[in-house]
Amino acid sequence: LLFFTGVIFYASLQFNYLPLMILLVVVTFLLGRAISAPLDWRIPNEEWHFAQQDWNFRRLQLLGLGIGLNVLLLLGFKYLPAVESFTLVGEADPIFSELLVPLGLSFFVFECIAYLVDVYRGMPATGNLAEFAAYKLFFPKVISGPITRFQDFARQVQRPQRPTADRLVEGGWLIALGAVKKMLLADHIGVLVNLSLSNVERAGSGDLWLAIFAFGLQLYLDFSGYVDIARGSALLLGIELPRNFDSPYFTTSIADFWRRWHITLGAWLRNYLYF
């Protein structure tokens, strides 16, 4: 049910890229199964050391293949239109003008890479394609996160709990809070930002400082409002998604600001890039 609702939700927004996203789900699932495939224990003792080396090298190759496919897909959609805009002169090619980035591709790719690395590090790969597809296409988070790990999502799906009254109230509150942030605050602040930045030649220094401050506030309210709606929607289904913002503008240092801004992306960068 979660998989089909995710398919319907994504198709209602960008149907042309739905087959690509489903293909990415299937490829990642199969690579995860291949990476977690056990070593054949029936080999002779004298060949054990060499077989283990070959097995580890094969797993590393599969991991590299999975990461490479995801990164190439992301870079292709992110930078191909930019390169086209620099190389074409005059009217844009209609093929490139229709080439939009698939919605949620960055978060989709980050989660695929996280899953493959977790399996390579020893996490059991799932053998349930429907469960994995439901995780990847879970409609509250598929467009803009938050970035979640498969084991956290699967644990809640495998042991479902009926939403309590407290969780239902919290879910409704988060949806309402996100709607206020987005529609009442961020969209109206965006009008001020667009007016100021579209008339830079006539703006004074005070106007520019106000526009810069307002733009930062608009980004925060827009993004955190979306995440609030996503977390509230998931809570109504009995699934808890991680927090992505923790009042970042109330911090007293840049380091603390980045720990509290886009929390799940920061955790992803630490776990799968830095380490």
Side-chain angles (χ1 to χ4, degrees):
L1 180 60
L2 291 178
F3 167 68
F4 282 116
T5 53
V7 167
I8 293 170
F9 178 79
Y10 199 90
S12 68
L13 298 170
Q14 209 176 52
F15 179 79
N16 53 326
Y17 283 129
L18 180 61
L20 174 66
M21 306 304 266
I22 294 178
L23 178 62
L24 190 57
V25 169
V26 174
V27 169
T28 303
F29 171 80
L30 294 176
L31 284 172
R33 295 278 291 172
I35 291 172
S36 66
L39 181 63
D40 189 354
W41 296 91
R42 296 170 296 180
I43 57 178
N45 290 334
E46 59 273 12
E47 298 178 10
W48 170 257
H49 179 68
F50 299 104
Q52 188 178 33
Q53 285 184 329
D54 292 340
W55 178 64
N56 288 331
F57 183 66
R58 176 175 175 271
R59 294 176 70 240
L60 186 61
Q61 285 182 315
L62 291 170
L63 176 65
L65 175 63
I67 293 176
L69 288 175
N70 279 279
V71 171
L72 286 175
L73 187 66
L74 180 63
L75 293 179
F77 276 104
K78 288 285 187 180
Y79 294 107
L80 189 59
V83 171
E84 175 270 341
S85 66
F86 283 108
T87 55
L88 288 178
V89 179
E91 187 177 352
D93 191 318
I95 295 178
F96 283 98
S97 64
E98 295 294 327
L99 188 62
L100 301 175
V101 178
L103 290 172
L105 181 63
S106 298
F107 298 94
F108 218 84
V109 164
F110 291 158
E111 287 185 344
C112 286
I113 292 175
Y115 174 75
L116 293 175
V117 173
D118 284 342
V119 171
Y120 179 78
R121 289 173 175 173
M123 183 191 80
T126 179
N128 190 333
L129 178 58
E131 185 179 72
F132 184 71
Y135 155 70
K136 291 301 301 157
L137 288 166
F138 185 49
F139 71 90
K141 69 172 182 65
V142 70
I143 302 300
S144 291
I147 301 170
T148 59
R149 301 175 78 173
F150 171 74
Q151 58 267 39
D152 297 331
F153 180 87
R155 191 182 306 117
Q156 299 183 73
V157 174
Q158 292 166 0
R159 291 191 288 272
Q161 298 179 1
R162 289 185 178 274
T164 62
D166 291 342
R167 289 168 71 101
L168 291 175
V169 170
E170 184 181 0
W173 165 252
L174 284 171
I175 292 173
L177 180 63
V180 169
K181 285 181 179 179
K182 166 62 180 167
M183 293 184 284
L184 291 184
L185 298 177
D187 287 355
H188 288 85
I189 293 174
V191 174
L192 169 65
V193 172
N194 293 336
L195 285 174
S196 300
L197 298 183
S198 61
N199 295 279
V200 174
E201 64 279 358
R202 285 185 275 179
S205 58
D207 298 323
L208 293 177
W209 277 111
L210 179 60
I212 292 171
F213 175 79
F215 182 57
L217 194 59
Q218 179 197 359
L219 282 178
Y220 166 71
L221 291 170
D222 212 338
F223 197 5
S224 68
Y226 174 91
V227 173
D228 287 342
I229 295 173
R231 294 183 66 230
S233 303
L235 274 178
L236 296 182
L237 299 172
I239 295 175
E240 188 170 352
L241 296 179
R243 294 183 65 183
N244 219 15
F245 295 91
D246 184 17
S247 304
Y249 283 126
F250 288 98
T251 59
T252 56
S253 69
I254 295 296
D256 196 28
F257 172 85
W258 285 116
R259 280 192 291 269
R260 295 163 66 172
W261 175 282
H262 211 332
I263 297 170
T264 59
L265 178 60
W268 187 92
L269 292 172
R270 285 195 305 273
N271 291 328
Y272 304 108
L273 189 62
Y274 180 75
F275 290 135

